[in-house]
């Protein structure tokens, strides 16, 4: 029997930025274009000054055949990462035929109790289906 694969087989994305250039230009931006933002630190200088590296760092530009299944969850009231980031990733995955499910978590911000309570069963079921495990049953 071959050893188990270390390849990523499923991803659950909670409110992740997916297009740094659009992210840094978003209304309500909390300074993602500033030199001290996490995004700019990743690139070594402000996002607007590094369009090519920002493009290469975007998950939406590296989506391709063989990528794992995705479950994308994003709060409708997220003040940090605009919900449009979710729709861009979902569209990019579907364009290259990667199975992707996305859902907006009503009234949720960037994380918080809405994610721990409203989506726990959905995330559990997603990973169980992805790994072909039996679905959990409630007592």
């Amino acid at each position: 029997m071959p050893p188990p694969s270390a390849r990523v087989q499923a991803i659950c994305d909670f409110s992740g930025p997916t297009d740094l250039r659009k992210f840094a230009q978003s209304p309500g931006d909390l300074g993602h274009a500033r030199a001290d933002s996490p995004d700019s630190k990743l690139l070594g200088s402000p996002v607007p000054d590094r369009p090519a590296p920002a493009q290469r760092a975007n998950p939406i530009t590296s989506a391709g055949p063989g990528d794992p299944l995705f479950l994308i969850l994003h709060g409708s009231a997220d003040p940090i990462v605009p919900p449009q980031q979710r729709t861009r990733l979902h569209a990019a995955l579907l364009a290259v035929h990667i199975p992707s499910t996305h859902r907006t978590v009503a009234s949720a911000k960037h994380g918080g109790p809405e994610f721990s309570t409203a989506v726990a069963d959905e995330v559990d079921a997603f990973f169980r289906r992805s790994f072909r495990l039996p679905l959990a049953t409630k007592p």
Side-chain angles (χ1 to χ4, degrees), residues 21 43 47-58 61:
R21 290 173 52 205
L43 301 176
V47 173
D49 297 347
R50 305 283 313 254
Q55 186 72 7
R56 286 191 304 273
N58 291 337
T61 59

Side-chain angles (χ1 to χ4, degrees), residues 8-138:
V8 174
Q9 299 172 42
I11 294 175
C12 182
D13 172 22
F14 288 90
S15 307
T18 61
D19 184 336
L20 296 181
R21 290 173 52 205
K22 298 274 186 196
F23 185 38
Q25 300 166 357
S26 299
D29 171 25
L30 295 175
H32 294 284
R34 290 190 333 241
D36 63 343
S37 74
D39 323 75
S40 295
K41 287 179 181 179
L42 171 71
L43 301 176
S45 65
V47 173
D49 297 347
R50 305 283 313 254
Q55 186 72 7
R56 286 191 304 273
N58 291 337
I60 61 171
T61 59
S62 61
D67 281 357
L69 309 170
F70 272 77
L71 172 62
I72 306 165
L73 301 167
H74 206 117
S76 65
D78 189 332
I80 297 173
V81 178
Q84 296 85 354
Q85 292 283 309
R86 166 189 55 86
T87 56
R88 284 189 184 100
L89 176 59
H90 180 66
L93 292 166
L94 293 179
V96 293
H97 309 290
I98 302 302
S100 173
T101 301
H102 71 92
R103 182 164 80 81
T104 300
V105 181
S107 303
K109 294 189 178 182
H110 193 73
E114 296 85 2
F115 281 98
S116 60
T117 56
V119 301
D121 290 340
E122 183 176 359
V123 171
D124 180 68
F126 167 73
F127 282 114
R128 287 179 178 278
R129 280 190 312 274
S130 299
F131 300 124
R132 295 180 178 87
L133 300 171
L135 293 178
T137 56
K138 299 258 181 189

